[in-house]
């Protein structure tokens, strides 16, 4: 059954940096190609994220070349001041020292395998356009979808908010190749309170999600069949 089409594809080459919207990408067995492939760990061995350093969200990371399975394309990082730095170069390392304000270890995973720990929950996070629209109404403020750090936005044929939550245990087919199994709710944390534009916090959004949605927004999916997806691909719910 046709349920919609892919409206947006977003991957995050650097964990907790703002990601990049792409027109097409490979879906690997771990999720979108290169998603959360680069990260930083603190002295305790845990990932440094927006939770500890909200200003991380003001840095935007993007791959600058074609996807390859043996080596990532160069990562370009746009800083809040508008400078564009390259991951791993001296100027980038100096910028990260100023940003993170602690000893941090850069981590890079191979394109063929990114462990679940980097993504933390599941392979892919998706939401629907109808759900974003309804939450905007519930919150009563302009909503920047980047707060939710989803990989896919599905434009639904049936514009029923939170329809994707009825797909748990079922599979969706994207285009001609990719199959995902919809697993469970995404439980939200303080990260959604951080405005991607200026890193200012607004606790009222999380309070709204807790009150109106039992702290659920978006759904997690596992990759069952790899392949390539594009913006505009049809999405089918399998029987």
């Amino acid at each position: 059954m046709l349920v919609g089409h892919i409206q947006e594809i977003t991957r995050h080459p650097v964990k907790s940096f703002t990601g990049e919207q792409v027109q097409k990408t490979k879906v690997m067995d771990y999720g979108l190609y290169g998603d959360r492939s680069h990260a930083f760990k603190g002295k305790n061995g845990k990932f440094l994220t927006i939770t500890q350093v909200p200003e991380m969200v003001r840095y935007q990371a993007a791959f600058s070349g074609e996807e390859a399975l043996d080596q990532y394309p160069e990562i370009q990082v746009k800083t809040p001041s508008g400078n564009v730095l390259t991951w791993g170069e001296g100027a980038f390392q100096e910028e990260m020292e100023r940003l993170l304000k602690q000893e941090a270890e850069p981590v890079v995973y191979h394109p063929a395998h990114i462990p679940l720990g980097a993504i933390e929950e599941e392979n892919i996070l998706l939401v629907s356009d109808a759900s974003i629209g309804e939450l905007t109404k519930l919150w009563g403020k302009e909503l920047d979808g980047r707060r939710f750090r989803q990989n896919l936005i599905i434009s639904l044929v049936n514009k029923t908010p939170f329809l994707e939550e009825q797909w748990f245990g079922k599979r969706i087919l994207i285009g001609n190749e990719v199959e995902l199994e919809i697993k469970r709710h995404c439980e939200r944390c303080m990260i959604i309170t951080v405005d991607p534009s200026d890193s200012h916090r607004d606790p009222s959004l999380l309070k709204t999600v807790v009150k109106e949605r039992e702290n659920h927004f978006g759904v997690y999916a596992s990759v069952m069949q790899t392949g390539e997806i594009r913006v505009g691909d049809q999405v089918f719910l399998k029987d």
Side-chain angles (χ1 to χ4, degrees), residues 13-15 36-42 45-47 87 104-109 115 118:
V14 180
K15 186 175 177 65
R36 277 85 167 184
S37 57
H38 296 61
F40 292 96
K41 286 186 177 181
K46 294 183 178 181
F47 291 109
W87 173 280
E105 175 193 1
V107 178
V108 181
Y109 295 103

Side-chain angles (χ1 to χ4, degrees), residues 166-179:
Q166 298 179 22
W167 303 342
F168 294 154
K170 299 181 179 180
R171 294 188 182 188
I172 58 173
L173 173 66
I174 303 175
N176 298 319
E177 298 179 317
V178 173
E179 276 193 28

Side-chain angles (χ1 to χ4, degrees), residues 148-216:
F148 302 109
R149 306 189 68 76
Q150 73 281 332
N151 297 119
L152 304 176
I153 297 179
I154 298 177
S155 177
L156 296 173
V157 174
N158 176 356
K159 300 296 185 184
T160 300
F162 315 113
L163 182 66
E164 58 270 28
E165 296 177 358
Q166 298 179 22
W167 303 342
F168 294 154
K170 299 181 179 180
R171 294 188 182 188
I172 58 173
L173 173 66
I174 303 175
N176 298 319
E177 298 179 317
V178 173
E179 276 193 28
L180 307 179
E181 184 173 312
I182 309 302
K183 305 295 281 191
R184 63 187 184 278
H185 293 287
C186 174
E187 294 189 9
R188 291 299 174 171
C189 65
M190 64 73 58
I191 284 177
I192 68 170
T193 70
V194 180
D195 187 332
S197 299
D198 56 19
S199 73
H200 291 165
R201 295 185 182 184
D202 187 342
S204 67
L205 177 57
L206 184 57
K207 290 178 180 177
T208 298
V209 175
V210 169
K211 178 183 177 182
E212 303 289 347
R213 298 289 310 142
E214 297 182 343
N215 202 29
H216 296 151

Side-chain angles (χ1 to χ4, degrees), residues 80-119:
S81 63
N83 293 329
V84 177
L85 306 176
T86 300
W87 173 280
E89 291 189 348
F92 174 77
Q93 294 171 353
E94 292 173 5
E95 181 76 18
M96 292 303 98
E97 289 176 4
R98 288 192 292 269
L99 169 67
L100 301 174
K101 297 182 176 66
Q102 61 181 285
E103 186 176 327
E105 175 193 1
V107 178
V108 181
Y109 295 103
H110 194 275
H113 178 68
I114 299 174
L116 193 61
I119 304 172

